Amino acid sequence: MINNENISDSEIRVIGVERSSARGKSPWLRWLAVAVAVVSLACVALGVALWLGRRTVAEAEGGVSAFEQRQAVVQSHPLREWIAGLDSLQAVGTLTRDLTVNDIPLRVYAPLNSTPHLEVGYGVADHRERAILFFQAADVRADNGGIVGAFVLRGEPLSRGLSKRGYCAIIGDQVTVGVADNSPLFEQATEQNGYFFRQYPLVDNGLLVENELKNKSVRRGLCELEGRVVVVESQTPESLHDFAQALVDIGVSNAIYLVGSSAMAWCMDPDGNGTKMGLWDERVYRNISFIVWPNR
């Protein structure tokens, strides 16, 4: 220990310089570190805020970022080119395309140069060569054999009801597939000798629609795909949810259910080769209905 009291008159001592210097530097370094940290955090917060702001604006305007747009182009649905090529074909018949989505094998039926209509009864089955494609449309009630939901046949309402929100309206050459509790197309179909029926909704404006049916079965859907109305069928039993999700994934914008399982159906290719599908030996429903694309 240094005795500060024994200092001669000619001696000069600096007392406490080292301790004072150390204490003088330490607070300055601490404040510098704090300032750097604050500036860094502010920069990070500003970057996050700008990113969130751009995303919020894009979502509010219904848009997507350039990166998302680039991904959308790369990941376009697998049927776009095939569907686009159908417009140049002059033949009358049905082309099919098989593909697998989410481990679900699908078959797409694309009728060429034919506008569908509805028929009630088994007449279309007896004269199937007059059609290039038909599937069972509306369901039949188990209690009284009537048609389930609203149904219009050549302008005549055969049934009313809103048990199912999906609908198909055929007025003139215009076919509309959609989802709505009430559609003015029902009245328009009655006024203009059109057609209208209801079924379970599957896809509404590109979004999957949930249904209460949970069992698995061969599924069929009447779909709007790239502006064209086609029928898509699962080649294996599937839940309605998984089938609807597969439709969304191949680019379907709107879709309603068609009677699936073993319901009778028919397909004829452009060369005149016909294929019967489902069971054709059960004729117990007087009010069975079909959506039919005629062979003209």
Side-chain angles (χ1 to χ4, degrees):
M1 179 177 180
I2 300 175
N3 187 355
N4 294 327
E5 295 179 356
N6 300 323
I7 302 175
S8 63
D9 294 337
S10 61
E11 185 179 0
I12 299 175
R13 290 184 185 176
V14 179
I15 301 174
V17 172
E18 293 180 359
R19 183 177 298 176
S20 299
S21 299
R23 289 179 178 176
K25 291 181 181 178
S26 181
W28 182 82
L29 290 174
R30 285 199 300 270
W31 281 111
L32 179 61
V34 170
V36 171
V38 169
V39 172
S40 299
L41 289 174
C43 291
V44 172
L46 179 61
V48 172
L50 290 174
W51 180 78
L52 289 175
R54 293 193 192 100
R55 183 176 180 180
T56 301
V57 171
E59 291 176 349
E61 295 177 350
V64 295
S65 68
F67 175 74
E68 291 169 332
Q69 287 179 336
R70 186 163 60 251
Q71 277 193 322
V73 172
V74 173
Q75 299 175 358
S76 61
H77 71 76
L79 295 173
R80 178 163 289 148
E81 293 184 3
W82 182 68
I83 290 291
L86 300 179
D87 293 335
S88 61
L89 301 180
Q90 302 299 318
V92 176
T94 300
L95 293 183
T96 61
R97 174 74 178 269
D98 292 343
L99 73 162
T100 300
V101 179
N102 302 332
D103 296 326
I104 298 177
L106 301 175
R107 177 164 295 165
V108 182
Y109 299 87
L112 303 175
N113 303 306
S114 180
T115 300
H117 62 268
L118 300 181
E119 292 191 22
V120 175
Y122 287 96
V124 65
D126 294 331
H127 304 282
R128 55 185 179 272
E129 69 280 355
R130 299 178 184 175
I132 63 171
L133 188 69
F134 68 73
F135 290 93
Q136 190 174 334
D139 281 313
V140 178
R141 293 181 56 167
D143 55 352
N144 60 13
I147 298 174
V148 177
F151 193 97
V152 178
L153 180 67
R154 290 188 297 276
E156 180 184 356
L158 300 185
S159 176
R160 297 179 184 271
L162 187 57
S163 58
K164 300 172 182 179
R165 298 179 60 242
Y167 69 85
C168 171
I170 307 170
I171 302 172
D173 293 332
Q174 183 66 38
V175 183
T176 304
V177 178
V179 179
D181 289 329
N182 295 290
S183 172
L185 294 178
F186 176 86
E187 286 76 16
Q188 188 175 346
T190 62
E191 295 170 357
Q192 301 181 22
N193 294 321
Y195 304 86
F196 186 98
F197 76 96
R198 283 195 175 274
Q199 260 292 358
Y200 291 109
L202 297 177
V203 182
D204 183 14
N205 291 317
L207 300 177
L208 181 150
V209 180
E210 293 287 0
N211 289 279
E212 295 181 358
L213 293 178
K214 303 301 180 184
N215 64 309
K216 290 190 175 184
S217 180
V218 171
R219 304 297 185 182
R220 293 168 177 166
L222 182 66
C223 308
E224 180 186 344
L225 178 62
E226 294 290 306
R228 177 181 287 269
V229 175
V230 300
V231 175
V232 180
E233 178 186 58
S234 71
Q235 300 301 288
T236 53
E238 303 294 340
S239 69
L240 214 55
H241 172 91
D242 291 346
F243 179 62
Q245 184 60 60
L247 296 182
V248 171
D249 291 342
I250 64 172
V252 168
S253 54
N254 294 289
I256 64 173
Y257 192 54
L258 293 176
V259 181
S261 186
S262 58
M264 69 166 56
W266 167 261
C267 175
M268 180 185 289
D269 67 20
D271 295 326
N273 301 311
T275 301
K276 295 167 64 174
M277 297 171 281
L279 298 178
W280 285 59
D281 56 351
E282 296 183 9
R283 303 195 173 197
V284 296
Y285 299 114
R286 178 173 57 87
N287 289 310
I288 192 171
S289 63
F290 298 91
I291 180 168
V292 182
W293 284 265
N295 182 13
R296 52 181 186 176

